Amino acid sequence: MSNTTPPPIWRNVMRKKTEYSYGVLDSAYQGEMPGKYFKISMPVLKDRNRMFDMDISMAYDFMKGYFAKLFIYAYVSVNDNNLGEKDSNRVAILSNDPNVLSKIEVYFVSPCDIWIKTPGYYTACTVDRISTMDSMRFVDITDTTITLVDEDLPTTGRVKLRPKTMIFT
């Protein structure tokens, strides 16, 4: 009789890969009752420079097999605590949907939240990887979470991130 351990539940696969790179931090799925946004919250204090990039996978419109891969880069200094309008071109989207830009919207909300507008029913969202840079390398972000939010975006401290590049597969 061998002593085997069952694989971890998907939601508990949080792990720190290296000093500055985290893999599969959290995932969320909305069924027939969708929220307005997926909210990705990182436990980072306002008094730190926040420099990170994030890979997010989304599956939506399962009938057509549409997906999106979002690559987000953010740098927020302690002095301004917000991304400026000049810094809002920080998202690259890879998708097989030609209308992805009218379906997915990405917002950065200070201090360290990413809000993603959901395109409809049965959408899944997974944070595949976060790489931290600068002083954020020394912050433990394994408690990063994704929640479905059925409320409006906050009115202060938010910047809509515009895609810099879009590639169709």
Side-chain angles (χ1 to χ4, degrees):
M1 184 170 173
S2 65
N3 184 7
T4 59
T5 308
I9 298 171
W10 176 257
R11 198 161 181 75
N12 295 328
V13 182
M14 295 185 217
R15 63 188 182 274
K16 187 171 180 179
K17 286 186 172 180
T18 66
E19 180 184 343
Y20 58 89
S21 182
Y22 297 77
V24 190
L25 286 172
D26 201 3
S27 65
Y29 173 78
Q30 68 179 13
E32 295 180 24
M33 302 299 291
K36 290 183 180 179
Y37 298 94
F38 285 107
K39 178 183 174 186
I40 301 170
S41 299
M42 299 170 65
V44 180
L45 301 174
K46 279 189 170 188
D47 64 348
R48 285 201 179 255
N49 289 338
R50 292 166 307 282
M51 181 186 269
F52 63 92
D53 62 62
M54 184 181 295
D55 295 354
I56 299 169
S57 295
M58 293 187 73
Y60 63 96
D61 201 339
F62 288 101
M63 299 302 285
K64 295 181 181 175
Y66 286 152
F67 73 89
K69 183 78 173 166
L70 284 67
F71 303 96
I72 298 171
Y73 170 75
Y75 173 75
V76 184
S77 77
V78 173
N79 299 330
D80 57 1
N81 268 326
N82 203 349
L83 284 172
E85 195 61 35
K86 65 179 173 38
D87 297 324
S88 64
N89 293 321
R90 302 293 181 122
V91 181
I93 298 178
L94 170 68
S95 180
N96 64 344
D97 181 1
N99 299 315
V100 68
L101 293 181
S102 65
K103 296 178 181 173
I104 296 176
E105 295 176 7
V106 182
Y107 297 88
F108 178 84
V109 180
S110 187
C112 222
D113 292 336
I114 304 288
W115 290 52
I116 303 172
K117 184 176 179 183
T118 60
Y121 299 109
Y122 300 108
T123 302
C125 181
T126 304
V127 175
D128 296 329
R129 184 187 59 83
I130 298 176
S131 290
T132 57
M133 295 159 263
D134 204 22
S135 65
M136 207 173 138
R137 289 187 309 142
F138 307 106
V139 178
D140 184 7
I141 59 168
T142 53
D143 289 336
T144 297
T145 59
I146 302 176
T147 53
L148 282 168
V149 179
D150 200 23
E151 57 197 49
D152 292 329
L153 276 166
T155 55
T156 59
R158 76 171 189 205
V159 174
K160 182 175 182 180
L161 301 177
R162 294 185 305 264
K164 186 175 181 184
T165 315
M166 188 172 63
I167 306 166
F168 295 108
T169 60

